[in-house]
Amino acid sequence: MSEPVRFIVLIPHRDCVRLIRSYQDRLFAAGIMGAYSFPIAAPLALVSQPFAKEELKMLARFLREASAAPGRDGKITSGYPGVLACPPDILSPSLFGLELDLPIPDIPRGLVRYRFPSMLLCAGLIPKKDQSLIPQERFPIAPQCFFRAALVANLILRPLSSGATGYSFEWKIGVPVWLPGYRKSNNRLIRSEL
């Protein structure tokens, strides 16, 4: 990857971010070089240009509605560690993190270069050679977390000319759009609008 890459991402509430940051520390201590190479976010799609605010609002509403399905109580919950591959011509290491229990929204096709098949809260990047470590005992135990508050945003990832090749990036997160609020009152769902 030599050019910047654009993503649309879901970013959890800062309490969950703190748990994943601690997990990244343990991953790096275990020898996973790419533990800090990607922001703590769940990529939804690779896109050709940033989404407008209205498009981000649409995604935020879809994700809130999915999290408000019966029995979910507005929660987005992490599961087991997992790996998501990007198209190799875009990013050669895979995304590594915790699987999330929400479906990927239907994103307008005109801007989408690649839609991820599932949602993964990233803790970093991992090459194929290190993926065999995941089920072994020396791999750090992943935290379990859930969150209701989250936002969607544009993200641009740029390779750095210095540092470890394939793992040194800078990123910028665009103006976020929060998922609509969720609360229960007298067993009745109340959704706030954006």
Side-chain angles (χ1 to χ4, degrees), residues 47-111:
V47 293
S48 57
Q49 60 188 3
F51 271 29
K53 189 169 186 179
E54 285 306 312
E55 292 165 319
L56 292 173
K57 283 183 178 183
M58 178 198 66
L59 291 174
R61 280 191 289 271
F62 173 91
L63 293 167
R64 174 52 71 215
E65 287 172 9
S67 75
R72 295 188 53 96
D73 198 27
K75 293 180 185 175
I76 301 167
T77 305
S78 71
Y80 294 106
V83 174
L84 269 182
C86 282
D89 59 322
I90 294 175
L91 192 62
S92 57
S94 295
L95 301 165
F96 172 78
L98 305 178
E99 296 171 354
L100 295 179
D101 66 345
L102 277 187
I104 294 285
D106 189 20
I107 300 170
R109 298 282 179 214
L111 303 177

Side-chain angles (χ1 to χ4, degrees), residues 5-190:
V5 179
R6 295 184 182 277
F7 295 83
I8 300 298
V9 295
L10 171 75
I11 302 172
H13 184 272
R14 67 177 173 263
D15 291 344
C16 185
V17 168
R18 279 194 287 265
L19 283 173
I20 304 303
R21 180 80 61 219
S22 174
Y23 183 47
Q24 287 177 317
D25 294 342
R26 295 193 315 273
L27 288 167
F28 192 75
I32 305 302
M33 277 181 53
Y36 302 107
S37 295
F38 198 89
I40 298 170
L44 306 175
L46 291 161
V47 293
S48 57
Q49 60 188 3
F51 271 29
K53 189 169 186 179
E54 285 306 312
E55 292 165 319
L56 292 173
K57 283 183 178 183
M58 178 198 66
L59 291 174
R61 280 191 289 271
F62 173 91
L63 293 167
R64 174 52 71 215
E65 287 172 9
S67 75
R72 295 188 53 96
D73 198 27
K75 293 180 185 175
I76 301 167
T77 305
S78 71
Y80 294 106
V83 174
L84 269 182
C86 282
D89 59 322
I90 294 175
L91 192 62
S92 57
S94 295
L95 301 165
F96 172 78
L98 305 178
E99 296 171 354
L100 295 179
D101 66 345
L102 277 187
I104 294 285
D106 189 20
I107 300 170
R109 298 282 179 214
L111 303 177
V112 174
R113 293 175 64 189
Y114 178 76
R115 182 175 174 256
F116 288 95
S118 60
M119 203 175 296
L120 186 85
L121 181 57
C122 287
L125 300 176
I126 189 166
K128 287 193 186 334
K129 67 180 179 64
D130 287 346
Q131 290 178 23
S132 62
L133 298 174
I134 294 171
Q136 295 180 7
E137 288 182 15
R138 82 165 213 160
F139 205 77
I141 295 172
Q144 291 201 328
C145 61
F146 73 87
F147 52 95
R148 288 186 181 92
L151 55 91
V152 290
N154 291 293
L155 164 73
I156 188 165
L157 188 73
R158 290 185 182 94
L160 295 173
S161 57
S162 60
T165 304
Y167 297 99
S168 297
F169 300 96
E170 65 178 352
W171 55 80
K172 182 177 180 182
I173 295 172
V175 177
V177 172
W178 287 93
L179 272 62
Y182 175 91
R183 63 189 171 100
K184 268 189 162 178
S185 176
N186 299 326
N187 296 323
R188 192 167 57 92
L189 177 65
I190 298 172

